[in-house]
Amino acid sequence: MMDTERKVNIREEFGTLFAQGDFKELYDCVSEEFKRQVSLQQFLEQSKLFNQGEQFYRLETNLYLTPHIEQFIWLNSTQTKAISVMFDEHNIIQALVIAPIESFSERDRWSTNKYTMPIQSEWFVYWGGKHEVLNYHHPVENERYAYDLVVRKGKQSYKNDGMKNEDYYAYGKKW
């Protein structure tokens, strides 16, 4: 198992460790559930294959999906590969996805029009960006540039258990 100091920094160091091929060290940080689904051998093989030819990964974004789960996304230098990692509050990796980024640039049609968001106060972009890793809408052409906006207070977009519309801070809020 990793020492305490290393484990505390794993969120910030993940991209560097992956680029350096320290896959065993990273696998030591995954949850027991992850280990039941993906063996060390599978993880080593897939990670090594994915990492071929890469020198580094740059942290693109991180955000709290829930108060206890934070997602980090790293991209390679050409933005053709992405690594998405979800850490719990104990720095245990609960989910890890390595994936190529599909480019639609040759099919994109750019407008010369300028647009502004129709909002007056601060909102948080939960999904939105130029590829599927940052924006799950992106593969669908007529949704490609959609943004999902939420209002956050601290790490949450809702109070109570989030089971009612009124629990969400954005509910009824003026744009």
Side-chain angles (χ1 to χ4, degrees):
M1 195 59 150
M2 300 175 76
D3 63 36
T4 306
E5 182 180 333
R6 170 68 75 206
K7 199 164 187 175
V8 169
N9 296 321
I10 191 68
R11 290 174 192 238
E12 290 78 22
E13 295 179 31
F14 184 96
T16 301
L17 292 170
F18 197 93
Q20 293 171 349
D22 293 333
F23 307 126
K24 171 70 170 82
E25 189 169 352
L26 296 174
Y27 191 80
D28 287 343
C29 295
V30 302
S31 69
E32 292 304 315
E33 177 61 27
F34 187 99
K35 289 177 182 176
R36 282 191 285 278
Q37 295 180 33
V38 179
S39 72
L40 172 60
Q41 187 62 33
Q42 290 171 317
F43 185 78
L44 295 174
E45 288 172 6
Q46 291 300 312
S47 297
K48 185 177 179 182
L49 183 64
F50 184 82
N51 203 39
Q52 284 181 340
E54 299 304 330
Q55 302 298 314
F56 71 93
Y57 296 90
R58 179 181 52 81
L59 181 62
E60 177 74 11
T61 188
N62 66 294
L63 63 105
Y64 278 92
L65 300 178
T66 73
H68 305 291
I69 299 291
E70 187 175 13
Q71 179 186 37
F72 286 72
I73 297 173
W74 289 269
L75 303 179
N76 68 341
S77 61
T78 57
Q79 296 190 7
T80 56
K81 295 179 184 177
I83 305 169
S84 172
V85 184
M86 295 182 199
F87 293 95
D88 68 15
E89 67 270 25
H90 305 293
N91 291 325
I92 303 296
I93 297 170
Q94 296 296 324
L96 187 149
V97 176
I98 54 176
I101 297 173
E102 187 173 355
S103 173
F104 294 99
S105 60
E106 66 280 356
R107 296 192 310 243
D108 281 345
R109 289 171 273 141
W110 296 96
S111 172
T112 57
N113 298 332
K114 301 257 184 219
Y115 298 95
T116 57
M117 295 295 276
I119 57 176
Q120 305 300 314
S121 58
E122 187 173 316
W123 289 69
F124 180 80
V125 177
Y126 196 79
W127 285 105
K130 58 185 179 179
H131 50 73
E132 185 175 3
V133 178
L134 298 175
N135 183 359
Y136 75 94
H137 299 285
H138 200 267
V140 181
E141 188 172 3
N142 65 350
E143 295 180 12
R144 185 154 300 146
Y145 300 102
Y147 287 82
D148 290 354
L149 304 174
V150 298
V151 174
R152 292 176 48 166
K153 292 186 181 179
K155 299 175 185 175
Q156 289 190 233
S157 61
Y158 60 87
K159 59 187 175 194
N160 303 323
D161 59 8
M163 297 303 290
K164 298 178 189 171
N165 289 340
E166 296 82 12
D167 288 348
Y168 288 83
Y169 300 125
Y171 184 76
K173 189 169 177 67
K174 298 282 184 205
W175 286 89

